[in-house]
Amino acid sequence: MEYITEFSFPLSEELLETLGINEDTAFETYYEDGRIRVRVLNDEELEDEFEDAEDEVVDEEVDDDDIDLSLPEKCVLCPNFCWHCKKCTIDI
């Protein structure tokens, strides 16, 4: 899989400590008003997100015809694969 764009930038230890960011911190990123925005998600937001996702799975009836068995295993395991639109988010 080829990445179209990937970037990173360093943060000082002082800023990381002040913001409470570590390897387990979850972020939400999105594009708005000509900027890429990054927001730290708190535990409550993460729980809500997982609960919403679980509710969607329970609410949806899975039809065997809807399951694409031709997906490569690397896509199934990749965090860049969107199960909602069934596409690689890198290729969008």
Side-chain angles (χ1 to χ4, degrees):
M1 180 182 312
E2 181 180 329
Y3 288 101
I4 295 172
T5 302
E6 181 178 315
F7 55 91
S8 64
F9 49 94
L11 301 175
S12 70
E13 289 297 323
E14 183 179 332
L15 181 60
L16 292 172
E17 187 175 316
T18 300
L19 297 176
I21 296 173
N22 60 38
E23 290 82 13
D24 297 326
T25 304
F27 295 93
E28 173 185 56
T29 59
Y30 57 96
Y31 177 81
E32 180 181 72
D33 297 328
R35 296 173 184 249
I36 293 176
R37 301 191 180 263
V38 179
R39 188 172 75 89
V40 174
L41 296 175
N42 62 34
D43 291 339
E44 186 176 304
E45 290 172 312
L46 282 172
E47 287 174 13
D48 290 345
E49 191 65 35
F50 284 115
E51 286 173 5
D52 291 344
E54 289 172 359
D55 290 344
E56 287 176 15
V57 171
V58 170
D59 292 342
E60 293 178 5
E61 288 187 24
V62 177
D63 184 3
D64 288 341
D65 295 335
D66 292 340
I67 298 173
D68 186 358
L69 299 176
S70 65
L71 285 175
E73 184 177 354
K74 67 180 182 178
C75 294
V76 173
L77 301 175
C78 181
N80 297 308
F81 183 76
C82 176
W83 286 97
H84 178 73
C85 64
K86 308 278 193 281
K87 294 182 181 176
C88 178
T89 58
I90 293 175
D91 296 335
I92 295 178

